[in-house]
Amino acid sequence: MALSIGVSSSWRGRTALGALALATAVALLPSSASARPAPDRAAGHCANQSHLRVPGAAHQQADCLNELTTAGTVASGHTDPADWAGLTPKDLTAPEGVPGIQIDGYFPDSSTTNTNHGWNHDSQFVIRLPDRWNGGLIVAGTPGNREQYANDRAIADWVLARGYAYAAIDKGNTGLDFYRDGSRPGDAVVEWNTRLTQLTRAARAVVAQRYHRPPVRTLATGMSNGGYLVRWQLENHPELYDGGVDWEGALWHAKGPNLLTFLPPTLRHYPAYAAGGPAAEPAREELHRAGFPAGSEFLWPFHHQVYWDLTQRIYREEFDPSFDGATEAGTPYCAPRTPGCDADYDYATRPAEVHKAVQRVALTGRIGKPLITVHGTLDVLLPSSENSDAYSRMIRESGRGHLHRYYRIEDGTHTDSLVDSFPDRLRPLLPCHRSAFTALESWLTTGHRPPASHTVVRPEGATPASLLTSCRLDG
C-alpha cells in the first residue's frame, strides 16, 4: 500500500510507535480444508507434525502448508495482511516455494486484545518450520503494537526462503490501548520482553522436535519496538541467542533519551513551524534541537498528523498515567498550557516513580552477543541521534563495543512504505536489514567481522528500483 501525505482520520487512528502501529485486526479466515493436518511422513513434507507440542502453550493448531511465505499464506488464511500493512514498499515481492508446517497458538494470558483466529486472546504466536531447513531459527517481536504476523512481509518471507525456521509473538498485548494491560506503570512493556523470552525457549524446543536436533544458531531480529526487544534480549538473555539484528530499535533509558524526552518539544513547536511567519524559523530550530535532522522537514507534516501526538500520549500513559489525572492517554492535539497537555510534558521533572517505571524496561548497553544495528538518517519518529546513536555510545561505554556494528543509512526513514511517496528523497531500510543479516551470518560462521560502524551513503545515481534490491554496508 502506497502512503501519501494526505492521511485519513481512519488511517491515523490505526497508528502508533513502530512503523504504523496496530491496524485494527481482521479475524483470520479458518484454514482451508487443504491446509488441515495431514498424516505424518517419515521424512520430508510436514514430517512429525502430529508430534509437535509447543511448551507452555494453552492452545495450538498445526497445519501442513504447501507455502509458508505470504505468497501462499494470504490465500490460505495463515497471515493477516492488515497486520503488516504500511511496513514495506509496494513493489516488494514475496518468494515462493517454501513448504512446511505452521503452528499458531497462544500462551496463557489474561488480556484479550488480539482477535486473530477469533480467539480474543493475547500472547498469540506463530511458528513456521520449513521442510528444507538450514539448521537455524529466527525469533522476532513485532513493531509498534501489532500482532504476530506484522513481520511476515519484511522479515519472515526472506528468512524462510533462506531455510530458517521462524517464530514471532504479539508481545502479550496489542493495539492503541495496550497500556491498559497490567496493574502498574510499565507492566505492558515489561511483558513484551517476557513473552519474547518465552517464545524463544518454546520455539527452540519445537525445532528440536521437528528436526530431531536443536538449532545450530538462534538469531533475534525486529524493527522499531521489535528492535528494542532484540537489544533487551541480548542484554538479559544472551544464553538463548547467537546474535541479533536491530532495525531502528527504540531506546528506553531512565535518565533519557527516550521518546518521552524528544516528542513533547516536537508537539510544542511544530504548530508554529507549520503556521509560517516570524515564529517558524525558531520553531524549526527547536525541532532540530529535539533530534529531528535538517533536511527531514518534508516528512514532518505526515508524522505530525499520524505519529507524534498519538505516540507520545499512549506511551506516556503507560509509564506516567497520573500526569493527566483521570483522563486516559491525554487530549489529542491539545494546545500548550492547557491542563494535562502532553505538549507540556517534561519528563525530567516528573516524580521518581515515573523514572522507576521506565527503569523497569531500560536498556544498559551490556549486550552479550554480536549485534548489528541499522537506522535511517531521516527517521523522524525515532530520530537516530536520540535512539541508536545514544545506544551505540552506551554499548561502547559498557565495554561491549567489539560486539556491535552500527550503520546509519543515509536517506532511510522509519517507515519503508513512505519511500513510495518520496522515491527520489528516501531509500528503504529493508535491503540494508538483509545485508546486515548476512553480515551477521558471516561474522558468526567464519569470524569475518563486518565493516566498522559508519554512515552508509546513498550511491550516486542509484535508482529507486536498485535501492530496493541492494544495500552495500561497506559503501
Side-chain angles (χ1 to χ4, degrees):
M1 176 186 298
L3 297 184
S4 63
I5 292 303
V7 181
S8 68
S9 59
S10 63
W11 181 269
R12 184 187 313 120
R14 292 170 52 159
T15 60
L17 178 60
L20 295 174
L22 172 71
T24 302
V26 178
L28 289 177
L29 297 173
S31 301
S32 63
S34 63
R36 286 286 128 193
D40 282 354
R41 297 163 176 80
H45 189 40
C46 297
N48 302 325
Q49 177 182 328
S50 64
H51 301 288
L52 301 179
R53 298 291 181 270
V54 180
H59 178 77
Q60 71 172 70
Q61 174 181 310
D63 288 335
C64 180
L65 304 180
N66 289 325
E67 184 60 70
L68 291 175
T69 75
T70 57
T73 55
V74 172
S76 70
H78 289 83
T79 188
D80 182 358
D83 208 11
W84 34 264
L87 291 181
T88 57
K90 61 180 176 58
D91 292 332
L92 181 67
T93 58
E96 299 182 40
V98 188
I101 299 168
Q102 175 161 320
I103 305 176
D104 291 288
Y106 53 80
F107 296 115
D109 199 347
S110 60
S111 56
T112 60
T113 61
N114 190 337
T115 61
N116 270 322
H117 302 284
W119 290 336
N120 298 321
H121 197 291
D122 289 344
S123 297
Q124 290 192 34
F125 59 81
V126 59
I127 299 174
R128 296 187 175 107
L129 306 164
D131 290 346
R132 296 181 292 276
W133 183 50
N134 70 4
L137 167 66
I138 306 302
V139 182
T142 56
N145 311 105
R146 297 180 183 236
E147 298 164 358
Q148 66 270 27
Y149 303 111
N151 293 310
D152 279 7
R153 288 275 286 158
I155 297 173
D157 280 355
W158 187 72
V159 299
L160 286 164
R162 291 171 62 82
Y164 283 95
Y166 172 82
I169 192 164
D170 65 7
K171 306 195 301 287
N173 43 75
T174 66
L176 303 184
D177 298 334
F178 76 98
Y179 52 79
R180 293 178 177 174
D181 195 15
S183 59
R184 62 185 180 124
D187 272 357
V189 178
V190 167
E191 185 178 5
W192 296 357
N193 295 314
T194 301
R195 293 301 184 181
L196 190 59
T197 303
Q198 181 180 31
L199 174 72
T200 301
R201 289 174 172 150
R204 286 168 59 90
V206 171
V207 164
Q209 294 170 28
R210 167 64 177 88
Y211 303 108
H212 302 294
R213 59 186 174 94
V216 296
R217 181 170 299 112
T218 302
L219 305 177
T221 193
M223 68 174 75
S224 195
N225 279 339
Y228 156 75
L229 294 175
V230 173
R231 298 170 174 182
W232 193 95
Q233 294 295 322
L234 295 189
E235 288 184 7
N236 293 275
H237 289 289
E239 75 282 359
L240 295 178
Y241 307 93
D242 295 280
V245 179
D246 153 30
W247 181 342
E248 66 193 15
L251 175 61
W252 287 105
H253 192 273
K255 295 182 179 179
N258 58 58
L259 63 85
L260 301 179
T261 66
F262 59 78
L263 284 182
T266 306
L267 300 180
R268 282 196 299 275
H269 297 291
Y270 178 79
Y273 166 77
E281 189 57 32
R284 182 208 302 264
E285 293 175 0
E286 291 295 339
L287 268 77
H288 290 166
R289 190 171 294 112
F292 300 93
S296 67
E297 287 86 349
F298 70 100
L299 293 168
W300 293 358
F302 175 86
H303 285 78
H304 176 256
Q305 187 177 14
V306 174
Y307 284 124
W308 292 338
D309 179 78
L310 177 62
T311 300
Q312 163 64 24
R313 289 186 292 103
I314 63 178
Y315 284 87
R316 192 270 305 150
E317 186 72 18
E318 165 67 358
F319 295 103
D320 191 358
S322 66
F323 172 73
D324 54 356
T327 303
E328 187 177 85
T331 302
Y333 299 99
C334 56
R337 294 180 293 281
T338 58
C341 182
D342 276 275
D344 294 322
Y345 189 76
D346 184 0
Y347 176 78
T349 63
R350 296 300 295 156
E353 56 263 29
V354 175
H355 296 249
K356 289 179 181 177
V358 174
Q359 183 61 45
R360 298 178 63 203
V361 303
L363 297 170
T364 66
R366 294 191 290 272
I367 55 174
K369 291 292 173 63
L371 173 68
I372 298 180
T373 297
V374 295
H375 205 128
T377 62
L378 295 181
D379 191 327
V380 291
L381 176 58
L382 299 177
S384 58
S385 62
E386 303 300 301
N387 290 273
S388 294
D389 288 8
Y391 188 58
S392 181
R393 288 194 300 272
M394 291 166 59
I395 292 174
R396 294 195 303 271
E397 291 167 359
S398 298
R400 312 298 173 90
H402 63 288
L403 292 175
H404 189 225
R405 292 292 186 273
Y406 172 32
Y407 304 113
R408 301 174 81 251
I409 310 301
E410 186 179 41
D411 295 342
T413 195
H414 198 76
T415 306
D416 265 6
S417 57
L418 283 173
V419 176
D420 297 331
S421 297
F422 303 101
D424 297 325
R425 305 177 79 172
L426 295 174
R427 67 181 297 178
L429 286 180
L430 182 143
C432 300
H433 171 265
R434 293 177 176 180
S435 293
F437 195 94
T438 56
L440 179 65
E441 290 175 321
S442 179
W443 192 356
L444 295 174
T445 57
T446 69
H448 177 71
R449 291 182 175 273
S453 301
H454 65 284
T455 296
V456 178
V457 300
R458 185 187 186 114
E460 186 175 351
T463 64
S466 67
L467 290 173
L468 182 59
T469 59
S470 175
C471 179
R472 291 179 55 91
L473 298 182
D474 57 356

